[in-house]
């Protein structure tokens, strides 16, 4: 069955004085139907965090331009993105005497419909299928470790005072995690969303599922940003997200 991809990005500085998030949705220059969605949540002060997220997006663009969907390994591309962006951010820290860090959540849609994703930190990727949440990334964070050990529920983790403490990200002294995932074949009606914690922190999974599956990507990005800002009550983080939906194309 033929299908087409509908996509949108959204970004807002929220209630912060400056924007450290970066988001990109890249269309392959030579392969129709090949997309790369990237969200990077920078940390490290006004300029440090933005430098880190900028380096993530720049590295993603450079690697994606050289990517050949027919012959190259998508998972290997994303792992290379993590390694190279991490190294560049570390070099930036040495030269600028700052401590720039960044999360990363990136998904690669190949022309044949297979999807690879990678993440490091607490920016997330969601896969919605059949009107329900099928899978999402597991945060590299302190509270997620508590959830994994059964010491916290997922709902308690959502409002935990140490929810922003990461145990893995780009730019840290330790090599970053690079957790990958494969979706063998996208189906009409499927949706992908990558977002920073400024978005997902304010929504229950069922709420995200309802919004992303029922609205167009543009409507969903606008709604989630607006509602997250309302729920933050003047104390919200930067917000960034990218949504891609698969729509069936009826035969001519």
């Amino acid at each position: 069955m033929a299908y087409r991809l509908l996509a949108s990005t959204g970004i807002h500085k929220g209630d912060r004085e400056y924007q450290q998030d970066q988001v990109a949705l890249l269309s392959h220059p030579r392969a129709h139907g090949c997309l790369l969605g990237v969200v990077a949540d920078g940390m490290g002060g006004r300029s440090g965090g933005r430098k880190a997220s900028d380096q993530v997006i720049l590295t993603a663009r450079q690697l994606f331009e050289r990517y050949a969907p027919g012959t190259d390994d998508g998972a290997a591309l994303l792992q290379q993105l993590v390694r190279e962006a991490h190294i560049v951010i570390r070099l930036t820290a040495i030269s600028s005497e700052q401590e720039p860090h960044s999360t990363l959540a990136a998904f690669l849609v190949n022309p044949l419909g297979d999807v690879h994703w990678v993440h490091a930190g607490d920016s997330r990727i969601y896969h919605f299928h059949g009107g329900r949440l099928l899978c999402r990334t597991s945060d590299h964070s302190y509270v997620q470790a508590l959830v994994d050990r059964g010491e916290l529920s997922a709902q308690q983790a959502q409002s935990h005072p140490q929810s922003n403490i990461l145990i893995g990200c780009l730019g840290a002294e330790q090599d970053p995690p690079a957790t990958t995932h494969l979706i063998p074949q996208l189906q009409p009606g499927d949706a992908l969303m990558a977002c920073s914690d400024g978005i997902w922190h304010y929504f229950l999974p069922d709420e995200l599922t309802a919004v992303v599956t029922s609205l167009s990507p543009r409507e969903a990005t606008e709604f989630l940003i607006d509602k997250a800002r309302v729920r933050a009550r003047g104390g919200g983080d930067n917000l960034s997200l990218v949504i891609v939906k698969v729509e069936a194309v009826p035969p001519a």
Side-chain angles (χ1 to χ4, degrees), residues 120-133:
D122 63 354
S123 292
R124 293 180 177 179
I125 304 174
Y126 294 79
H127 177 204
F128 304 96
H129 172 78
R132 64 188 180 92
L133 173 59

Side-chain angles (χ1 to χ4, degrees), residues 50-204:
R50 183 54 184 262
K51 285 181 180 178
S53 59
D54 282 345
Q55 291 296 345
V56 171
I57 300 300
L58 178 61
T59 304
R61 289 183 183 277
Q62 293 172 339
L63 293 177
F64 191 51
E65 286 176 358
R66 301 197 298 266
Y67 176 63
T71 57
D72 292 347
D73 184 344
L77 167 74
L78 296 179
Q79 290 171 335
Q80 184 180 4
L81 168 58
V82 173
R83 290 193 303 270
E84 292 195 9
H86 171 67
I87 291 172
V88 174
I89 293 170
R90 292 287 293 160
L91 292 174
T92 301
I94 294 172
S95 63
S96 64
E97 298 183 354
Q98 295 175 326
E99 294 187 4
H101 299 78
S102 181
T103 69
L104 169 65
F107 59 79
L108 171 68
V109 181
N110 278 317
L112 295 179
D114 57 302
V115 177
H116 298 270
W117 79 40
V118 70
H119 87 288
D122 63 354
S123 292
R124 293 180 177 179
I125 304 174
Y126 294 79
H127 177 204
F128 304 96
H129 172 78
R132 64 188 180 92
L133 173 59
L134 188 65
C135 181
R136 79 157 174 86
T137 53
S138 180
D139 304 334
H140 302 118
S141 67
Y142 171 70
V143 294
Q144 184 62 54
L146 296 179
V147 172
D148 294 342
R149 295 199 297 264
E151 299 177 23
L152 277 181
S153 68
Q155 189 169 2
Q156 290 171 326
Q158 199 86 352
S159 58
H160 196 280
Q162 295 174 304
S163 61
N164 62 337
I165 297 178
L166 302 183
I167 58 176
C169 64
L170 280 64
E173 291 186 7
Q174 299 80 18
D175 288 341
T179 305
T180 57
H181 177 74
L182 169 67
I183 302 172
Q185 182 65 56
L186 285 177
Q187 302 294 332
D190 281 9
L192 297 167
M193 179 177 74
C195 64
S196 65
D197 63 331
I199 291 289
W200 62 255
H201 182 78
Y202 297 102
F203 297 94
L204 297 173

